[in-house]
C-alpha cells in the first residue's frame, strides 16, 4: 500500500490487484483530486481493509472507495461489504469488465453500490471524473453518520414482495432484502408488531414501518419525487422510457420548464433489459438499468422534474392549456404535452397464470429474481428481442433455459446467433403454454405442440413472459385519435388521404409527431407504426421537443 504525502485529508481509497491498473487509477485520481483529497492505493482487499481500520483508529474520514471486482482471495464485492462496516458513509464504486456487469448490478443490493464503471475508463475526463464529482458532492452533503438503508421483509413467493423489490431496484433505491423465514427478518417483523401476518414490511431509512405499501406511498417515503413543484409548465412528458427521458433531456436542456411523469419506474421496458447490444455508441452493449440511470441523471442535471408513481387518468384541452389529470384527482397543466407512454407486456391467457404472477411467473426480465434462478430450469415465453436478451442473461447461471415460441424466433439476427451458440438454451417452436400449476408458487406448466396438439406436463419454478405488447393509451379515449389496436395516430397518418382531421383548427397541417390535438405530441412505442427500438424512441423524444418549440413559437 502507498499513499500520497502531505497533511491528513479526506481519503479516496482505490484497490486493484493488478499493479499497473492500480497505479493508473491512483495517478488519474491524484491528478484531478490530489489538491483536496489524499489518495490511498492498495493492491489487495486485505491490505485495503487494514488501511481503512488504521484510518478509522486515527479518526480519518473516507469519502469514496473504488474497488476492482476481480481480485483473488477477496473480490471487490466481498471487500466493499466489509468496508461498509468500517466506513458506512463512504461512497462505493466497483470497477468491472463487460463480462462482470451482472455482478455489479447484484452489488447494488449487496453493498449499496453507488456506481459501477466499465474498464477501461479512458478518457477519465468523460468516464471517471464526472462520476466521482457527483459522488463527492453527495458525500459532502451528508453528515457521515452510518447510512441507514431501506429494509424489505417478505415471503420469497409473494407477488407483492416481488413487486416492491422490483420497484425499488428499477428506481435505483438501495435496499436490503430479508426473508420472513430468516432470523433477522423475524426480528424486524416482531419489532414492527407484525410477526409475518401482513407482508411485505418495508422499513424506511428513518425507521418508519410501512405495511403492504402502495407504490406512491413507497416512493414518497424513500425520497422519490411524487408531487410537482408548480402547477404550470412549458412541457409535460407522460412516460419515462427512452422516448420520455430523451424528451426530458432535450426539453430541459433547451430551457423549457419540463416535468416528466412516470407511473412506475423510469426506463420502461428498455430499463428492464439485461443487455442492449444494438444501441449506437455502445459496441460492448449496455444494460437497460445503466442506460436509464445515465439518462435520468442527465435530465435532472438540466433541471427536469421527474415524478414517480403517478398514474395519469386523463387529458383535457382548456384553450391554450393542456391539463393532465392524475388518478387521485389532482392535475398539472402545460403549454404542450409529449405522450411517451410506451407499451406493456400482454398477459398470458392460460389457466392459473394470473394467480401465480409474481410467484414464479413474471412479465419482463424481472432482474431482481435472476440470482434465485441459479441452478434451475427456466422457461421463457416469446421469441422477440426482449425474450432473447433475457434468455442469454439467465443462461449464465440457470441450469437450462427453454424458449417457447408459437411459431419461430423473430428476434434480431445477432440475438439468434447468440441463442444458437449458447449450449444451455433450447428453442421449442410451435409450442404454447396451456396452463400453469402450483399452490403457493409455480411448480409445473402444461405445454402444447400447436402442430400436433400433443400436450406435456413439465416441472417449472420460473417462467418469464414476453408475448408482445399493447399501448397504454386507453385513458386518451375521446381526446386523442388512435388506431384499432390503440396506438396513437400522428401527422399524415391521422387521415387516409393525408389531410388534417375534420376538427383540426389550425391553418397548417399537424406536424409529423403531432396528434389531432395541437400541442400534444407522441414519441416512442405508443405511436402508430413506430420502429419499436431504443434508438428510434430516443430520437423521437428529441424530435418531439423540436416540434414543441415550433408549436410554441407559433402559438
Amino acid at each position: 500500500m502507498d499513499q500520497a504525502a502531505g497533511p491528513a485529508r479526506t481519503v479516496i481509497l482505490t484497490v486493484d490487484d493488478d499493479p499497473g491498473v492500480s497505479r493508473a487509477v491512483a495517478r488519474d485520481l491524484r491528478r484531478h483530486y490530489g489538491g483536496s483529497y489524499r489518495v490511498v492505493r492498495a493492491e489487495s482487499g486485505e491490505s485495503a481493509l487494514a488501511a481503512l481500520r488504521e484510518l478509522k483508529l486515527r479518526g480519518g474520514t473516507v469519502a469514496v472507495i473504488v474497488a476492482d471486482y476481480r481480485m483473488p482471495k477477496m473480490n471487490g464485492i466481498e471487500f466493499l461489504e466489509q468496508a461498509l462496516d468500517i466506513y458506512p458513509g463512504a461512497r462505493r464504486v466497483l470497477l468491472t469488465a463487460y463480462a462482470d456487469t451482472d455482478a455489479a448490478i447484484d452489488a447494488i443490493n449487496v453493498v449499496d453500490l453507488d456506481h459501477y464503471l466499465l474498464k477501461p475508463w479512458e478518457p477519465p475526463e468523460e468516464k471517471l471524473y464526472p462520476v466521482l464529482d457527483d459522488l463527492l458532492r453527495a458525500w459532502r452533503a451528508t453528515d457521515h453518520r452510518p447510512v441507514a438503508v431501506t429494509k424489505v421483509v417478505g415471503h420469497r413467493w409473494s407477488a407483492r414482495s416481488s413487486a416492491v423489490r422490483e420497484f425499488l431496484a428499477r428506481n435505483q433505491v438501495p435496499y436490503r432484502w430479508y426473508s420472513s423465514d430468516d432470523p433477522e427478518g423475524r426480528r424486524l417483523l416482531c419489532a414492527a408488531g407484525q410477526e409475518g401476518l401482513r407482508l411485505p414490511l418495508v422499513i424506511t431509512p428513518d425507521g418508519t414501518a410501512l405495511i403492504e405499501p402502495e407504490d406512491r406511498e413507497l416512493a414518497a417515503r424513500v425520497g422519490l419525487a411524487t408531487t410537482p413543484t408548480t402547477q404550470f409548465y412549458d412541457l409535460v412528458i407522460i412516460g419515462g422510457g427512452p422516448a420520455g427521458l430523451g424528451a426530458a433531456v432535450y426539453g430541459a436542456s433547451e430551457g423549457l420548464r419540463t416535468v416528466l411523469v412516470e407511473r412506475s419506474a423510469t426506463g420502461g421496458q428498455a430499463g428492464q433489459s439485461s443487455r442492449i447490444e444494438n444501441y449506437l455508441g455502445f459496441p460492448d452493449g449496455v444494460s437497460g438499468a445503466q442506460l436509464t440511470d445515465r439518462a435520468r441523471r442527465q435530465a435532472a442535471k438540466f433541471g427536469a422534474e421527474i415524478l414517480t408513481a403517478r398514474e395519469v387518468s386523463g387529458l383535457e384541452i382548456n384553450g391554450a392549456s393542456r391539463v393532465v389529470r392524475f388518478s387521485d384527482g389532482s392535475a398539472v397543466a402545460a403549454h404542450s404535452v409529449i405522450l411517451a407512454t410506451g407499451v406493456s407486456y400482454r398477459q398470458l391467457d392460460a389457466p392459473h397464470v394470473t394467480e401465480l404472477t409474481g410467484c414464479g411467473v413474471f412479465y419482463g426480465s424481472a432482474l431482481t429474481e435472476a440470482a434465485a434462478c441459479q441452478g434451475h430450469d427456466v422457461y421463457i415465453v416469446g421469441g422477440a428481442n426482449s425474450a432473447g436478451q433475457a434468455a442469454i442473461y439467465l443462461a449464465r447461471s440457470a441450469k437450462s433455459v427453454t424458449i417457447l415460441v408459437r411459431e419461430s424466433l423473430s428476434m434480431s439476427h445477432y440475438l439468434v446467433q447468440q441463442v444458437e451458440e449458447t449450449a444451455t438454451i433450447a428453442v421449442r417452436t410451435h409450442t404454447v403454454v396451456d396452463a400453469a400449476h402450483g399452490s403457493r408458487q409455480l411448480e409445473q406448466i402444461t405445454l402444447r405442440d400447436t402442430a400436433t396438439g400433443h400436450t406435456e406436463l413439465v416441472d417449472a419454478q420460473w417462467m418469464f413472459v414476453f408475448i408482445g405488447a399493447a399501448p397504454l393509451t386507453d385513458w386518451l379515449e375521446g381526446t386523442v385519435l388512435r388506431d384499432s389496436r390503440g396506438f396513437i395516430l400522428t401527422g399524415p397518418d391521422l387521415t387516409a388521404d393525408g389531410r388534417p382531421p375534420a376538427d383540426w383548427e389550425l391553418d397548417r397541417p399537424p406536424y409529423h409527431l403531432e396528434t389531432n390535438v395541437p400541442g400534444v405530441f407522441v414519441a416512442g412505442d405508443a405511436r402508430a407504426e413506430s420502429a419499436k427500438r431504443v434508438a428510434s424512441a430516443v430520437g423521437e423524444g428529441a424530435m418531439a421537443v423540436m416540434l414543441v418549440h415550433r408549436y410554441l413559437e407559433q402559438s
Side-chain angles (χ1 to χ4, degrees):
M1 182 193 76
D2 74 318
Q3 58 190 50
R9 297 190 298 271
T10 298
V11 167
I12 298 174
L13 183 140
T14 173
V15 53
D16 195 305
D17 68 295
D18 184 320
V21 175
S22 178
R23 285 191 294 269
V25 175
R27 178 201 64 216
D28 287 343
L29 292 176
R30 286 175 182 141
R31 185 173 63 190
H32 194 70
Y33 301 105
S36 303
Y37 296 88
R38 185 158 62 100
V39 176
V40 175
R41 180 174 70 88
E43 294 185 0
S44 72
E46 293 85 350
S47 63
L49 288 173
L52 289 175
R53 294 188 186 102
E54 182 178 350
L55 285 167
K56 190 75 172 179
L57 289 173
R58 294 181 178 182
T61 55
V62 178
V64 176
I65 301 173
V66 182
D68 184 61
Y69 172 64
R70 293 203 175 198
M71 294 189 294
K73 297 184 180 179
M74 181 188 301
N75 67 35
I77 296 175
E78 293 167 341
F79 161 73
L80 288 173
E81 194 170 12
Q82 294 189 48
L84 186 66
D85 295 330
I86 305 171
Y87 280 99
R91 295 304 192 258
R92 293 163 291 280
V93 178
L94 194 68
L95 289 175
T96 70
Y98 164 70
D100 299 323
T101 52
D102 55 338
I105 293 171
D106 291 340
I108 292 173
N109 290 331
V110 176
V111 295
D112 300 335
L113 190 69
D114 293 294
H115 209 282
Y116 67 89
L117 293 171
L118 293 178
K119 296 189 294 186
W121 59 90
E122 299 291 340
E125 290 78 10
E126 294 181 12
K127 297 185 178 180
L128 180 64
Y129 300 152
V131 172
L132 268 293
D133 287 344
D134 286 345
L135 294 179
L136 288 168
R137 276 194 295 269
W139 181 84
R140 289 193 297 268
T142 65
D143 59 7
H144 314 308
R145 290 179 296 182
V147 177
V149 298
T150 299
K151 302 179 179 67
V152 181
V153 184
H155 190 274
R156 181 68 193 81
W157 299 109
S158 159
R160 185 55 191 158
S161 295
S162 176
V164 165
R165 294 171 64 199
E166 187 78 1
F167 178 85
L168 293 173
R170 291 190 60 199
N171 281 290
Q172 298 174 354
V173 176
Y175 73 92
R176 292 189 184 278
W177 161 256
Y178 302 91
S179 170
S180 57
D181 298 327
D182 293 340
E184 182 64 10
R186 290 196 297 268
R187 186 188 68 79
L188 292 171
L189 288 170
C190 182
Q194 288 303 305
E195 299 182 0
L197 296 178
R198 295 172 60 195
L199 296 174
L201 165 70
V202 178
I203 302 174
T204 63
D206 64 3
T208 303
L210 308 176
I211 311 301
E212 298 178 311
E214 296 297 323
D215 285 354
R216 186 177 176 189
E217 179 188 14
L218 182 59
R221 291 288 191 171
V222 298
L224 299 174
T226 61
T227 305
T229 60
T230 185
Q231 294 302 306
F232 198 89
Y233 294 84
D234 294 319
L235 172 63
V236 173
I237 301 165
I238 304 174
L245 288 169
V249 168
Y250 284 96
S253 67
E254 294 173 11
L256 296 179
R257 292 171 298 167
T258 302
V259 61
L260 183 151
V261 181
E262 168 56 45
R263 69 190 184 102
S264 179
T266 50
Q269 286 186 315
Q272 295 177 282
S273 175
S274 55
R275 179 63 46 183
I276 302 169
E277 297 192 63
N278 58 353
Y279 187 66
L280 183 67
F282 291 88
D284 295 323
V286 60
S287 73
Q290 189 177 22
L291 188 63
T292 298
D293 172 58
R294 292 180 177 183
R296 182 179 177 122
R297 288 191 290 116
Q298 193 173 16
K301 165 189 167 184
F302 289 121
E305 290 182 37
I306 299 177
L307 307 183
T308 305
R310 292 306 301 264
E311 187 80 29
V312 175
S313 60
L315 175 64
E316 300 174 4
I317 311 305
N318 186 7
S321 175
R322 278 79 184 105
V323 180
V324 174
R325 292 283 177 192
F326 297 123
S327 57
D328 64 356
S330 62
V332 66
H335 290 301
S336 59
V337 172
I338 294 178
L339 303 172
T341 52
V343 293
S344 63
Y345 288 111
R346 288 196 174 94
Q347 304 296 292
L348 182 60
D349 186 16
H352 308 303
V353 167
T354 300
E355 300 94 306
L356 293 170
T357 297
C359 305
V361 177
F362 301 93
Y363 288 88
S365 57
L367 294 181
T368 53
E369 306 296 336
C373 295
Q374 184 172 357
H376 291 268
D377 297 315
V378 175
Y379 288 84
I380 291 178
V381 184
N385 278 13
S386 295
Q389 290 164 350
I392 293 164
Y393 178 75
L394 292 169
R396 297 174 183 174
S397 58
K399 178 182 177 182
S400 70
V401 175
T402 302
I403 300 176
L404 308 174
V405 57
R406 183 179 291 273
E407 294 181 359
S408 58
L409 295 179
S410 57
M411 60 189 68
S412 297
H413 179 65
Y414 80 92
L415 284 171
V416 173
Q417 287 183 310
Q418 291 183 27
V419 166
E420 291 175 345
E421 293 169 359
T422 305
T424 53
I425 299 179
V427 180
R428 293 184 57 163
T429 58
H430 305 289
T431 304
V432 297
V433 176
D434 258 7
H437 311 275
S439 51
R440 298 181 61 190
Q441 67 191 71
L442 181 67
E443 297 172 357
Q444 295 176 312
I445 55 176
T446 299
L447 305 180
R448 175 169 54 86
D449 187 311
T450 58
T452 64
H454 174 72
T455 61
E456 178 185 359
L457 186 65
V458 298
D459 293 333
Q461 281 189 302
W462 305 95
M463 182 169 70
F464 298 88
V465 183
F466 307 82
I467 54 171
L472 300 168
T473 60
D474 289 346
W475 59 278
L476 293 167
E477 180 66 33
T479 305
V480 173
L481 293 178
R482 301 174 296 153
D483 66 14
S484 59
R485 297 179 297 162
F487 292 94
I488 301 170
L489 298 170
T490 62
D493 294 327
L494 284 166
T495 56
D497 57 6
R499 292 182 299 177
D503 59 351
W504 183 259
E505 299 178 353
L506 302 183
D507 294 335
R508 63 167 177 83
Y511 294 130
H512 181 65
L513 298 179
E514 195 170 22
T515 69
N516 61 299
V517 180
V520 177
F521 300 84
V522 185
D525 291 357
R527 185 177 66 84
E529 306 302 325
S530 63
K532 308 296 187 294
R533 289 291 185 270
V534 175
S536 62
V538 173
E540 286 189 6
M543 182 179 177
V545 169
M546 179 191 73
L547 297 176
V548 164
H549 277 289
R550 191 177 299 176
Y551 166 78
L552 294 176
E553 290 168 358
Q554 297 177 355
S555 298

